[in-house]
Amino acid sequence: DGGITQSPKYLFRKEGQNVTLSCEQNLNHDAMYWYRQDPGQGLRLIYYSQIVNDFQKGDIAEGYSVSREKKESFPLTVTSAQKNPTAFYLCASSISGGDTGELFFGEGSRLTVL
Amino acid sequence: KNEVEQSPQNLTAQEGEFITINCSYSVGISALHWLQQHPGGGIVSLFMLSSGKKKHGRLIATINIQEKHSSLHITASHPRDSAVYICAAVGGATNKLIFGTGTLLAVQP
C-alpha cells in the first residue's frame, strides 16, 4: 500500500543533542513538507521541498535542517539550536507543489526534550 | 487574529446527531482542505474544495467563496467520528497552507 512512513513515533532527546526524524513516501510525490504541531496552535510549516535536491524554508525553519537527496525521502534534523523542540512533528506529501493537490500525512513523530 | 478561524473549538454530540463545524478565513484563497486528526496523531485528508459542495459518505463539505466561509457537516454521527477536524486554506500572500487550530469533536454513544 502506498503511503508515508514516519519514524520514530516517539523520541526522547537530551538538551544539546541533534536528532533526525525520518519521512519516507512511496507515492511518487514530488512535494514533501514538514510541519510542527503545538497544543492550541495550527500546524506550522518548517521546511518544504517541491523537487529532489531542492528545499525551501517555511515559517519556522530556525533550528531545523532538511535534505532531499531522493524523491522518496525527506528527513528532518532538529538541531541543538532549536530553543523549544518538544512538539509533535508531521510529514506530508502531495503530487505536486502549490498546495492544491490532496495531502497525505504520516502518523507523526512526538519529540520530547528531557 | 488568525487568518483561518474555526468554530467551535470543542464540540460534544450524541450519537446520531447532525454536526456542523465552521471555518472562516480572512485571505484570498484558491482552495480549502478539511482534515481529520485521529487521537494517535495521524492526519487524513477528507476533502479539498475550491467551490460548491462535496460529499463522501456521511460527510459533506461546502464552501462559499464570497463569504469566505466553509462548513463540514457530519450526518448520523457515530463515536468513531470522534477526532480533531482541521481546515486549511491555500492562499494568502505566499499561496501556502494556513491551518486552523482545529475542532475537537467527541461523539458519545
Side-chain angles (χ1 to χ4, degrees):
Chain A
D1 287 332
I4 298 181
T5 302
Q6 285 187 241
S7 63
K9 191 168 178 65
Y10 298 97
L11 185 61
F12 297 90
R13 187 194 94 175
K14 292 181 181 179
E15 284 192 22
Q17 287 182 333
N18 293 354
V19 293
T20 297
L21 307 180
S22 170
C23 178
E24 304 277 333
Q25 54 99 358
N26 60 2
L27 300 164
N28 200 34
H29 284 173
D30 284 317
M32 297 187 73
Y33 310 83
W34 274 105
Y35 293 97
R36 170 178 171 141
Q37 188 177 37
D38 294 284
Q41 297 190 41
L43 275 70
R44 292 182 291 168
L45 182 64
I46 305 172
Y47 268 97
Y48 65 99
S49 168
Q50 295 186 324
I51 197 168
V52 176
N53 292 320
D54 186 51
F55 49 82
Q56 306 294 329
K57 291 182 179 180
D59 300 318
I60 55 165
E62 185 175 351
Y64 300 97
S65 65
V66 293
S67 63
R68 187 86 187 275
E69 297 176 0
K70 298 187 298 182
K71 189 175 187 177
E72 310 80 44
S73 179
F74 191 41
L76 173 74
T77 296
V78 185
T79 75
S80 57
Q82 169 49 235
K83 299 302 180 190
N84 185 20
T86 294
F88 188 62
Y89 292 90
L90 283 154
C91 179
S93 72
S94 64
I95 194 163
S96 64
D99 294 339
T100 54
E102 185 179 358
L103 289 168
F104 292 79
F105 284 85
E107 290 293 310
S109 295
R110 189 168 299 281
L111 172 63
T112 302
V113 173
L114 304 172
Chain B
K1 190 178 188 299
N2 293 335
E3 292 174 300
V4 176
E5 297 271 359
Q6 286 186 238
S7 64
Q9 286 188 308
N10 296 280
L11 180 58
T12 300
Q14 293 299 121
E15 184 173 357
E17 284 185 3
F18 180 85
I19 289 165
T20 296
I21 298 171
N22 296 299
C23 178
S24 297
Y25 50 90
S26 57
V27 295
I29 71 168
S30 57
L32 186 137
H33 297 260
W34 279 103
L35 310 169
Q36 180 191 53
Q37 185 168 28
H38 296 289
I43 292 178
V44 173
S45 176
L46 298 175
F47 295 103
M48 187 192 69
L49 64 168
S50 54
S51 65
K53 176 179 172 179
K54 287 190 175 181
K55 183 177 189 292
H56 185 253
R58 295 180 294 106
L59 301 178
I60 303 166
T62 63
I63 189 167
N64 185 317
I65 298 293
Q66 287 75 24
E67 294 186 4
K68 295 188 174 181
H69 181 269
S70 177
S71 293
L72 176 68
H73 305 286
I74 305 175
T75 62
S77 59
H78 190 276
R80 65 175 175 265
D81 297 325
S82 299
V84 175
Y85 291 84
I86 301 169
C87 72
V90 183
T94 60
N95 202 36
K96 290 296 170 197
L97 279 170
I98 308 167
F99 290 84
T101 55
T103 294
L104 176 59
L105 171 65
V107 181
Q108 297 177 341

